[in-house]
Amino acid sequence: QVQLVESGGGLVQAGGSLRLSCAVSGRAFSRYAMGWFRQAPGKERDFVAAISRGGSTDYADSVKGRFTISRDNAKNTVYLQMNSLKPEDTAVYYCALGNTQYDYWGQGTQVTVSS
């Protein structure tokens, strides 16, 4: 019933920008926190950013100052604006929804940053 669909991934040169989107259906979006995670081949899934239902944000040290998470409750969508991209940012990016824990996850979208 609950579905999260990521979009906006692709190939970009180092120093460029991308905006990821995650559209949510099947729940009252505004009542939940949202998070972004990423996973590179052969590595563990890492936390990237989160936003509470009240709009408070949190970021991994590796992306502070470069990435911005936001939400549009009217569109049931969360965004991740990624600027000054580096090859180290290459990964599959996943969005997640929850309160006490992240209960629902999207399918992921590939982000590749070339040198």
Side-chain angles (χ1 to χ4, degrees):
Q1 183 64 32
V2 177
Q3 186 174 11
L4 285 66
V5 180
E6 299 102 332
S7 61
L11 175 65
V12 66
Q13 292 189 107
S17 298
L18 284 173
R19 187 182 72 165
L20 306 184
S21 299
C22 177
V24 179
S25 62
R27 286 289 187 275
F29 174 81
S30 63
R31 300 206 296 262
Y32 295 88
M34 297 292 299
W36 285 98
F37 296 77
R38 66 187 182 186
Q39 186 170 27
K43 296 185 178 181
E44 296 293 318
R45 183 184 64 190
D46 291 328
F47 168 78
V48 176
I51 185 166
S52 74
R53 62 186 185 182
S56 298
T57 59
D58 189 31
Y59 299 93
D61 288 342
S62 59
V63 306
K64 284 183 178 178
R66 300 189 297 121
F67 291 10
T68 303
I69 187 171
S70 62
R71 64 192 299 161
D72 186 337
N73 290 338
K75 296 181 178 180
N76 291 352
T77 301
V78 64
Y79 303 96
L80 185 68
Q81 178 66 46
M82 305 185 295
N83 298 326
S84 302
L85 283 162
K86 306 174 181 179
E88 306 93 272
D89 297 317
T90 295
V92 176
Y93 284 70
Y94 300 89
C95 67
L97 175 150
N99 279 321
T100 58
Q101 62 183 20
Y102 291 113
D103 298 315
Y104 300 98
W105 295 80
Q107 83 289 344
T109 186
Q110 177 70 47
V111 171
T112 303
V113 184
S114 63
S115 300

